[in-house]
Amino acid sequence: MKVISRSALDVQKVLDALVESAARLCDAYDAAIFQVFGDDLRLVARHGQMPNPIGGVGQFSVPLDRVRIGGRAVIDRRTIHVADMLAEGDEYPEGRKLALQLGYRTALAVPLVHAGEAIGVIFTWRAEVRPFTERQIELVNTFADQAVIAIENTRLFEEVQSRTRELAKTVEDLEIASQHKNQFVANMSHELRTPLAAILGYAELIQEGFYEPQGPKSLDALTRICSNGKHLLGLINTVLDIAKIESGQFTLNMTEYAIEGVVETVRAATESLAQNKRLTLTTSVDKSLPVGLGDEQRLTQVLLNLVGNAIKFTEAGEISIAAGARNGHFAVSVTDAGPGIPVDQQDRIFEQFHQVDSSMTKAKGGTGLGLAIAKQIVEMHGGRIWVVSTPGKGSTFQMELPTRAEFRKPVQPSMG
Ligand code: ADP
């Protein structure tokens, strides 16, 4: 029992211990375990005093058939006890031959049954005619059960190991495929931007009357071309950012910047959007803020995204941007009077593709990527971003940024 429990995964040790114990405790000359391999019974453990004309473990096997007692025990899934192989061996002609060859008379074969199927057989035999007692037969049955557990444990362990190897390979293949996809998306987005920039550039030149004066209808069409073109450029940039984040190529370009400048740039860029929806856009920036170190363009992108969302989701009222500094950090927030975000969604909206599942969000469109990118950028600066919101009243998106940020290589997001 000790050997069995200590060598749970070394099946050979367990089987050796079982045949040794079976032979000794049943007062038999020999004991052996055979396992079913296809159409054969293969010797996997043996212990005994008799000379060994059949060869060692791994060298000897017999066909799985009904003309030997082992085969019969396996096929019928029952214990077979033959008091004298020479006298009663007619049913097992091949078994008798073997008995003569090996010199045994009394034989006991107990099948190893797992889930209703015999996976092998444990044998004990004696050189003289002396039947096994009930107790000895019971003992061999117990050993058979132990052998099944040991064989099954090992099989399961090997299966788990092989599945684990397969899974590791699959994960590796998926990672390679995912890298290829990201590279493709990154290249493609880049390729799309070039012609789009030309389209936008020429449209603006025509709009500005660089070639010839334009009538009101053309000007209106040109305005639409430019605004849709810019929207498309924004989408392409978003996709490019995600591809870069996924492939670990997203980096920051650290320079000194003024947070006041970032707020002002965003205000100027979004003012007309707010006006179009009759929303008030206010800013409140503390005096004498320290000079920041970080990626100004990326931080502007974050704030632009927050203010853009605030305008997109708010139908009436005020949107305010606030910036201050404390404890070596900038605190920047965007407050709106929009629909708010349910508490259980407040963390999840920073995940890729996550949008609050409401008809309102769906009506507003969007990719669900903006906040995921914003979070990445803020965290790469060593900062954090979160939302405080009361559904029905509005939301405040807040971020805390080290004033002098150190570029942190991002933890690559897991696939999926
Ligand atoms: P997108 O706006 O393109 O869907 P984001 O990642 O910027 O992607 O936002 C994710 C989701 O978070 C939005 O779809 C919306 O459900 C919710 N959300 C973001 N900002 C606000 C806001 N100011 N008010 C209400 N919901 C918001």
Side-chain angles (χ1 to χ4, degrees), residues 157-226:
F157 181 71
E158 277 163 8
E159 197 174 305
V160 167
Q161 272 193 323
S162 113
R163 290 272 167 88
T164 308
R165 274 194 298 271
E166 274 169 32
L167 272 179
K169 174 86 179 72
T170 310
V171 169
E172 194 184 313
D173 289 350
L174 279 174
E175 263 162 14
I176 292 171
S178 168
Q179 273 165 16
H180 285 161
K181 179 209 73 181
N182 287 327
Q183 197 54 51
F184 168 76
V185 174
N187 292 346
M188 203 57 205
S189 318
H190 194 75
E191 291 303 313
L192 288 171
R193 282 201 320 180
T194 316
L196 186 57
I199 293 170
L200 276 170
Y202 281 108
E204 273 165 18
L205 285 176
I206 300 171
Q207 196 179 23
E208 284 159 15
F210 183 82
Y211 299 106
E212 62 226 338
Q214 300 294 322
K217 280 195 179 153
S218 308
L219 282 175
D220 185 46
L222 285 164
T223 306
R224 283 165 202 267
I225 291 174
C226 288

Side-chain angles (χ1 to χ4, degrees), residues 112 256 367 372 385 416:
L112 311 184
E256 294 210 319
T367 56
I385 182 167

Side-chain angles (χ1 to χ4, degrees), residues 305-306 309-314 336 338-341 349-351 353-358 360-361 365-373 387 389 394-395 397:
N305 189 267
L306 298 183
N309 277 349
I311 296 174
K312 178 162 93 168
F313 290 107
T314 306
D336 66 43
I341 296 150
I349 54 170
F350 293 95
E351 293 168 11
F353 303 112
H354 192 85
Q355 298 181 308
V356 174
D357 186 21
S358 70
M360 194 266 316
T361 302
T367 56
L369 293 172
L371 289 178
I373 298 171
V387 65
S389 172
S395 315
F397 281 83

